[in-house]
Amino acid sequence: MTVKVRFAPSPTGRIHAGNVRAAVQNWLFARKNQGRFVLRIDDTDLERSTKENEAMIETDLTWLGLTWDERYNQSLRFDLYQKAADYLKASGRLYPAYETAEELDRRRKVQLSRGLPPVYDRAALNLSDAEKAAFEAEGRKPHWRFKLDGKRMMWEDMVRGHCEVDTTSMSDPVLIREDGAFLYTLPSVVDDMDMRITHVIRGEDHVANTGTQLEIFEALTGLFDAPLPIFAHMSLLVGADGEGLSKRLGSMSVSQMREDGLEPLAIVSHLAKIGTSDPLEAAPSLEALIEHQDFAKLGRAPARYDFDDLMRLNAGVLQAMSYADAQPRLAALDADLGELFWDTVKPNLHKFADVTDWVAVVQGEIAPRIDDPAFAAKALELLPADYGRDSWAQWTAEIKAATGAKGKALFMPLRQALTGMDHGPDMGALSFLIGRERIAQRLGG
Ligand code: GLU
């Protein structure tokens, strides 16, 4: 069996952390099993779907490195859904209903006021042909409901273990709206069957859908000769405070993160690891993540999406980045001061673009901070005439001997004078990069 999975975003907006987590887990699972990763654009909602959003989904996935092997638009597959609908109608599983939204709403209120569950009462099933004709004559168009068998649907979930959904307590789902539009449910099942999807990996918010969809899978087995997929429902994401993802994070799209200068590998590492038993750290490469993908590591508890963790992983990715990988990006920022520069400053970067701050320290104008002019004057006096890669140790040893300052009292004033900052990269390499002339200048020379 060749593993085949799908990522099925709706192009009704930008994709964000929740969607991308599904994409990441599907992609890693496909790659780990030498399987196929399908990008399926769920654009049955023609009013809300846009080509612009669709293009942005492709841009985002490509930028993240989540390449796809096959790609489909549901909007180009309506004939197939119609065929499935006709099949279900012929077998009595899809029936027309004529209630308006207001009528259904009124009925639900009555049920609730009597303490009954607001389940659709299937009144439409008992309509005679004459009654249907009367509705049509009134100008009403039917919507179409799938007749649930009302059973306990069970599956072994790769994340949640044994799962059961009792469809007796559910309303027969509407599969086709009165304007003829297919809602998400039927096209999703038809495509999963037609494309021979072996594993459906998605968020826990789809667990109830899976109960219904399993019934539809069974009802369509005569039409498609496809085995039932295996399901994996990932727990939901919560914010750092344990509450549902806050508006700020939930709405933070991948495009936004790209514009903000986050590293794709940090985003993918973060979404691959949250909610798992693995340590939350930046992977050296996508390949390394593939190797460790395992649904057994995903817990049922909500996964914590903490932006601070993502930033920590982002710094980790930069710290591990080789000069060869960084060089073109450095050049693009006019910040390519060579390998020593990159290796020296990268542990101090939160985002790649921060590198320009260090270019300024090394060869630009900064405001030196000098609290003790006498100390600075002494340091200047002792500054070696020839300042080399190893001069820092010798120079600071001489300043120590001359002033008696040691530890922080020795190093901090030098760092402040040479960089204008309290923190930063290793001063041995950095002072060499700054060079004798600038050091002297910054010490007041
Ligand atoms: N378009 C659906 C969504 O974004 C797909 C769900 C599924 O994976 O079946 O929620």
Side-chain angles (χ1 to χ4, degrees), residues 4-8 38-44 70-82 84 183-198 200 213 216-217 220 224 226-227 229:
K4 194 170 179 184
V5 297
R6 84 294 196 283
F7 172 53
V38 172
L39 171 59
R40 193 180 78 200
I41 304 292
D42 276 12
D43 54 354
T44 52
E70 293 173 36
R71 184 199 179 292
Y72 302 92
N73 279 77
Q74 290 196 318
S75 58
L76 299 175
R77 296 167 60 80
F78 287 140
D79 288 353
L80 189 65
Y81 311 144
Q82 192 55 53
L183 293 172
Y184 150 76
T185 311
L186 181 65
S188 180
V189 173
V190 167
D191 283 344
D192 289 344
M193 295 183 94
D194 183 57
M195 294 169 191
R196 303 284 188 279
I197 297 298
T198 58
V200 171
Q213 291 186 349
I216 303 175
F217 272 106
L220 287 174
F224 300 97

Side-chain angles (χ1 to χ4, degrees), residues 54-68:
E54 186 178 327
M56 193 54 91
I57 290 170
E58 294 193 317
T59 303
D60 289 346
L61 291 178
T62 305
W63 177 69
L64 291 168
L66 308 178
T67 47
W68 54 92

Side-chain angles (χ1 to χ4, degrees), residues 32 42 124 129 179 196 198 239 256 263 270 282 297 398 435 438:
K32 178 161 187 195
D42 276 12
D129 286 345
D179 63 359
R196 303 284 188 279
T198 58
Q256 184 66 51
E263 298 300 311
H270 186 228
K297 292 178 184 171
E398 284 176 24
R438 275 196 182 77

Side-chain angles (χ1 to χ4, degrees), residues 162-192:
H162 183 75
C163 285
E164 296 193 7
V165 169
D166 188 355
T167 63
T168 38
S169 58
M170 296 175 136
S171 297
D172 287 341
V174 175
L175 300 189
I176 306 174
R177 280 195 325 216
E178 33 293 305
D179 63 359
F182 291 100
L183 293 172
Y184 150 76
T185 311
L186 181 65
S188 180
V189 173
V190 167
D191 283 344
D192 289 344

Side-chain angles (χ1 to χ4, degrees), residues 151-155 163-170 207-212:
K151 356 186 228 206
R152 210 168 262 284
M153 302 308 292
M154 297 183 229
W155 71 94
C163 285
E164 296 193 7
V165 169
D166 188 355
T167 63
T168 38
S169 58
M170 296 175 136
V207 166
N209 274 340
T210 297
T212 326

Side-chain angles (χ1 to χ4, degrees), residues 95-100 103-104 107-108 111 119-129 131-132 135 140 143 145-147 170-172:
Y95 63 93
Y98 292 85
E99 293 92 345
T100 62
E103 284 165 352
L104 290 171
R107 261 189 237 172
R108 266 195 298 270
Q111 285 169 313
V119 175
Y120 177 61
D121 62 7
R122 292 184 160 167
L125 266 183
N126 303 318
L127 292 175
S128 66
D129 286 345
E131 286 168 319
K132 289 182 201 168
F135 278 132
R140 290 204 197 192
H143 53 273
R145 287 188 186 263
F146 178 74
K147 187 164 166 263
M170 296 175 136
S171 297
D172 287 341

